[in-house]
Amino acid sequence: MNNPHHLNPTSLKSRFTTRFLRALTKIRAQKPISSSSPTEIFRRYRRIKVAADKSMAYSVRSRRIWSKAMLWKLRSRSYRRQDPCSGRRSGKTNQAIMKKSSNENTTTRREDGVGFVEEADELRQLVPGGETMNLCNLLDETAHYIKCLTTQVQVMKKIADFYSF
Amino acid sequence: MQPCSREMQAMNSLLSPTQQIPLQDLQPNGNSGTHQAQIHNPQFDPTSSHDDFLDQMLSTLPSCSWSDLKSPWDPPKSDETPPSNPDNNVGFHYDEILASKLRQHQINGGGGGTTAAMKMMMQQQMMLPGRPIAAAGGGGLTMPLHNDIVDGSSFKSPNQQGGEGSVQALYNGFGAGSLHGTNNQSPNQPQHFHHPQAYLLFSFTFSPKYHEDPKWANDTYPVIHKYLFIVQGGNMQTQSFGATAGTVMNQSQASGSTTGGAPAQPKQRVRARRGQATDPHSIAERLRRERIAERMKALQELVPNANKTDKASMLDEIIDYVKFLQLQVKVLSMSRLGGAAAVAPLVADMPSEGGDCVQTTAGGGGSLQRNSNGNQPSANNDSLTETEHQVAKLMEEDMGSAMQYLQGKGLCLMPISLATAISTATCHSRNPMINKGSSSNHPLLQSNGDGPSSPSMSVLTVQSATMGNGGLDGSAKDAASVSKP
């Protein structure tokens, strides 16, 4: 098993892997591994994590609600970083939109009649974009999200193992 | 029981030559399509009552000889071998096989062209006695009825063909235990049985309807075949057969419209076509609940340790698992800071406590720095031990409190396999002195003392003895949170 990730070139795993590796090499090129101060390390960690999430979200495109929400979040964060003014503006408008939609959905979605409100809320917080989903969709999205997360973890683990030798 | 080989041959001979099923095919092992039959094997025990009935019928037919069965039809195939599957309910088994085979035939459209003709014939036959069910004969017999007649057999019906509805009706008529109306309509009966094939065709006739009616049990097929044999046996039997058929038809006609989909069999799906629950809200509610249950089932497969009993605990499991996965991503991204010791784990060889093996790895930062040669100042060791004791105690009562305690100390909980992965990932590049934790009691890692080794992230790994190093998935039980400075 030389390249377990690339057996199927169109699978989620291979898409994610290629993107993630590209991002990693970019990060590595940017910042040499010199600094070892905690803040630097932290920043680097954040960058890597963001790269991982971003590559996963891009691999899924906008086919899923959670990936769309995640992409939106990442983009807004990057905008905010680049240009504080525009970031604030867009952030505010976007947040307003999100809040409004969530408020609208509050009445319809809160009481699903099934009785799992607290767990459902907690799940909504975990899954990106979960606030605007009713329980049915939420479970669906969670399943896909779990699948993608496991893929992500597998790939990252393999990469870590590979590069640490 | 009856000689099955002869039954099979008779059955086959009853079918038109084009429809004859090679006996080999009828064996369950030889055909994947008979899996349904096999599924239903355990359910066939309750059909012993049918056996009794059959015996009853047969006992009243002293003159019947099996050879009669074969006379009007094509000679049975001589090359067919009886099924070699010894079985307790061999007859039933055969019937199952036959049933599924017949269904397959129907599914495959075997007899598609002739179906209409058969239908016509059947309708004629049914019309002869002037029964009102004639209209229902062709297609309307797919009613859901018969549930009021509980035979004690649990019928499962994945894909059922339409004809079995009526077949089931007949069966239930029989199963009710009495040949009621045996003598009632005798003058009308003989016409039914001029074409014994009609009853076989009977099962074929309604096949097109079946696709919409998934409720019907597979088991009706075997039953009907049994009764078909009886039919051939003698007039009296056939009359009773026809009579009961007729009465059952009537019953079904009457009850079909009302009872709708009331499932008498315990495991049947609730159908939307209920007479009672016509309220759109409740139907919508039910649909929603079904969908949610489907999704929960799908999630259950994804999440390990999903031995759920109820939905709430399942949801909790799911939530924990998602948190765990997200944490894994975080930790792995930390570990991959190629060279920078994001995690500078420290090994403390700890004795197991109460079945749990606790390994403490505390990384970098100020207070917990360690030497590279692995000297472990006893003071720190003691504090770690004490911490572990405390954590173990807390864990027995509630994971949450244990976690909080740890976080208060700036530590976190991590599955041992993850810690192993991280440590091997990071420490290999830096420190040759690494002990990979191979057993639960092993020290996990070597410390890295170079420089300000890590962000002050401390990791306390707890691994229950039961879980072992079964990979990250196996240790999903351990919640882990990384506390950052």
Side-chain angles (χ1 to χ4, degrees):
Chain A
M1 285 265 278
N2 288 335
N3 267 339
H5 308 307
H6 304 286
L7 282 177
N8 178 6
T10 58
S11 76
L12 174 72
K13 211 188 234 184
S14 54
R15 290 202 307 264
F16 167 71
T17 314
T18 42
R19 265 183 239 266
F20 185 52
L21 286 174
R22 237 181 276 153
L24 269 185
T25 47
K26 230 189 289 179
I27 291 177
R28 215 165 191 172
Q30 288 175 2
K31 266 310 196 225
I33 320 170
S34 57
S35 53
S36 44
S37 71
T39 45
E40 271 306 317
I41 290 171
F42 183 72
R43 211 174 297 160
R44 208 176 131 93
Y45 144 71
R46 283 300 292 180
R47 217 169 287 143
I48 291 184
K49 174 171 179 305
V50 163
D53 288 338
K54 195 190 260 189
S55 21
M56 177 51 77
Y58 269 111
S59 304
V60 185
R61 290 287 156 184
S62 293
R63 283 198 295 267
R64 289 275 161 178
I65 304 181
W66 68 265
S67 66
K68 231 190 289 189
M70 191 184 262
L71 282 174
W72 177 87
K73 213 192 309 178
L74 291 168
R75 255 186 229 130
S76 71
R77 199 183 295 143
S78 73
Y79 290 160
R80 224 176 295 143
R81 209 173 288 145
Q82 290 167 14
D83 182 2
C85 304
S86 76
R88 239 178 282 131
R89 249 181 285 127
S90 62
K92 217 187 287 185
T93 51
N94 282 332
Q95 268 180 18
I97 292 171
M98 283 286 280
K99 272 211 192 92
K100 197 158 53 135
S101 60
S102 68
N103 279 339
E104 280 169 352
N105 292 339
T106 299
T107 52
T108 54
R109 77 170 150 90
R110 275 299 162 178
E111 197 39 61
D112 285 324
V114 195
F116 297 119
V117 186
E118 298 113 16
E119 289 91 348
D121 287 347
E122 203 173 346
L123 201 53
R124 285 202 182 92
Q125 291 171 10
L126 285 176
V127 176
E131 292 86 3
T132 60
M133 295 190 252
N134 57 359
L135 186 62
C136 205
N137 290 340
L138 182 66
L139 291 179
D140 216 9
E141 295 289 318
T142 306
H144 192 261
Y145 187 55
I146 286 182
K147 186 177 92 149
C148 291
L149 277 180
T150 44
T151 313
Q152 203 175 359
V153 165
Q154 274 177 28
V155 170
M156 287 170 80
K157 245 202 283 185
K158 289 244 174 82
I159 294 181
D161 289 344
F162 181 73
Y163 280 116
S164 64
F165 280 79
Chain B
M1 260 287 289
Q2 294 69 27
C4 293
S5 57
R6 270 190 285 169
E7 277 184 330
M8 292 193 75
Q9 289 171 359
M11 271 311 298
N12 266 338
S13 60
L14 289 179
L15 303 173
S16 66
T18 57
Q19 289 169 336
Q20 272 185 348
I21 307 163
L23 272 171
Q24 294 84 349
D25 272 357
L26 287 172
Q27 300 181 19
N29 300 332
N31 201 333
S32 61
T34 57
H35 67 279
Q36 285 175 351
Q38 287 162 8
I39 293 170
H40 298 298
N41 258 337
Q43 296 175 2
F44 261 96
D45 294 338
T47 53
S48 55
S49 58
H50 315 159
D51 256 0
D52 296 341
F53 179 67
L54 200 53
D55 291 340
Q56 226 178 42
M57 299 286 278
L58 291 173
S59 63
T60 58
L61 206 333
S63 56
C64 169
S65 73
W66 287 109
S67 55
D68 292 347
L69 294 176
K70 302 180 195 163
S71 46
W73 299 287
D74 303 334
K77 284 190 183 161
S78 49
D79 54 338
E80 288 163 354
T81 57
S84 54
N85 289 342
D87 210 347
N88 289 345
N89 288 335
V90 158
F92 289 118
H93 204 64
Y94 148 68
D95 285 329
E96 291 172 58
I97 300 161
L98 198 51
S100 48
K101 230 353 193 170
L102 284 170
R103 258 197 313 287
Q104 271 196 328
H105 262 266
Q106 292 167 13
I107 292 168
N108 300 336
T114 53
T115 304
M118 295 180 204
K119 233 189 220 186
M120 288 291 299
M121 212 164 25
M122 263 321 295
Q123 280 181 347
Q124 282 171 9
Q125 309 244 326
M126 284 312 184
M127 288 224 152
L128 286 174
R131 300 203 180 287
I133 52 162
L141 278 177
T142 59
M143 28 201 153
L145 83 132
H146 80 275
N147 291 315
D148 37 355
I149 309 174
V150 179
D151 293 313
S153 53
S154 60
F155 289 151
K156 266 203 192 161
S157 57
N159 302 317
Q160 279 308 320
Q161 303 239 327
E164 283 159 357
S166 42
V167 170
Q168 179 107 14
L170 288 171
Y171 164 67
N172 283 320
F174 291 127
S178 58
L179 311 175
H180 45 272
T182 302
N183 300 320
N184 290 353
Q185 298 103 7
S186 31
N188 293 331
Q189 297 325 302
Q191 295 142 359
H192 281 272
F193 307 95
H194 291 317
H195 305 269
Q197 287 98 338
Y199 279 88
L200 255 187
L201 303 181
F202 179 50
S203 56
F204 284 104
T205 313
F206 300 93
S207 55
K209 285 301 180 174
Y210 237 112
H211 300 289
E212 304 136 22
D213 221 357
K215 206 153 89 124
W216 303 117
N218 295 338
D219 314 40
T220 56
Y221 266 122
V223 175
I224 196 63
H225 302 320
K226 270 205 243 313
Y227 297 132
L228 284 169
F229 291 137
I230 301 172
V231 165
Q232 311 320 324
N235 257 351
M236 192 167 89
Q237 304 315 318
T238 58
Q239 285 177 9
S240 56
F241 178 79
T244 25
T247 46
V248 169
M249 290 306 182
N250 261 335
Q251 288 176 5
S252 41
Q253 176 71 4
S255 54
S257 51
T258 54
T259 51
Q265 291 82 5
K267 292 186 190 151
Q268 284 196 354
R269 220 177 44 209
V270 173
R271 307 194 48 204
R273 221 206 310 162
R274 291 179 82 119
Q276 297 122 12
T278 51
D279 182 21
H281 291 303
S282 58
I283 290 182
E285 263 300 310
R286 199 174 341 126
L287 278 176
R288 242 191 74 251
R289 237 173 282 139
E290 282 176 4
R291 260 189 289 157
I292 289 183
E294 280 175 30
R295 307 263 163 85
M296 292 283 294
K297 229 180 295 174
L299 274 172
Q300 197 179 345
E301 294 163 17
L302 283 177
V303 177
N305 304 331
N307 43 359
K308 84 154 187 181
T309 43
D310 65 306
K311 281 203 227 156
S313 59
M314 192 58 208
L315 270 177
D316 287 335
E317 278 285 332
I318 293 171
I319 288 173
D320 286 341
Y321 189 59
V322 170
K323 280 197 215 155
F324 168 73
L325 285 176
Q326 286 178 340
L327 176 68
Q328 262 190 315
V329 169
K330 280 192 213 159
V331 170
L332 279 174
S333 63
M334 252 200 205
S335 76
R336 203 169 293 115
L337 296 188
V343 178
L346 170 69
V347 164
D349 194 5
M350 290 311 196
S352 57
E353 297 178 334
D356 279 9
C357 175
V358 175
Q359 291 195 3
T360 313
T361 65
S367 54
L368 293 177
Q369 269 199 354
R370 300 231 170 244
N371 310 335
S372 49
N373 53 7
N375 265 350
Q376 298 168 1
S378 54
N380 277 340
N381 219 355
D382 286 346
S383 68
L384 284 175
T385 319
E386 177 195 31
T387 311
E388 285 173 15
H389 284 292
Q390 186 65 18
V391 168
K393 219 188 314 171
L394 281 174
M395 265 177 48
E396 275 159 46
E397 16 173 302
D398 173 29
M399 274 304 284
S401 58
M403 294 281 298
Q404 283 174 6
Y405 175 74
L406 280 176
Q407 284 180 2
K409 291 196 155 279
L411 303 173
C412 83
L413 212 59
M414 174 181 292
I416 199 110
S417 41
L418 178 60
T420 315
I422 294 167
S423 57
T424 56
T426 55
C427 291
H428 272 202
S429 55
R430 308 173 35 123
N431 201 320
M433 297 172 51
I434 291 172
N435 292 330
K436 276 207 207 167
S438 58
S439 74
S440 55
N441 282 330
H442 240 268
L444 186 56
L445 280 182
Q446 188 57 23
S447 68
N448 293 316
D450 18 348
S453 39
S454 69
S456 40
M457 179 176 88
S458 312
V459 171
L460 175 75
T461 66
V462 174
Q463 176 200 20
S464 71
T466 55
M467 280 198 292
N469 281 333
L472 281 159
D473 286 345
S475 48
K477 271 295 172 202
D478 297 339
S481 66
V482 177
S483 59
K484 286 193 273 292

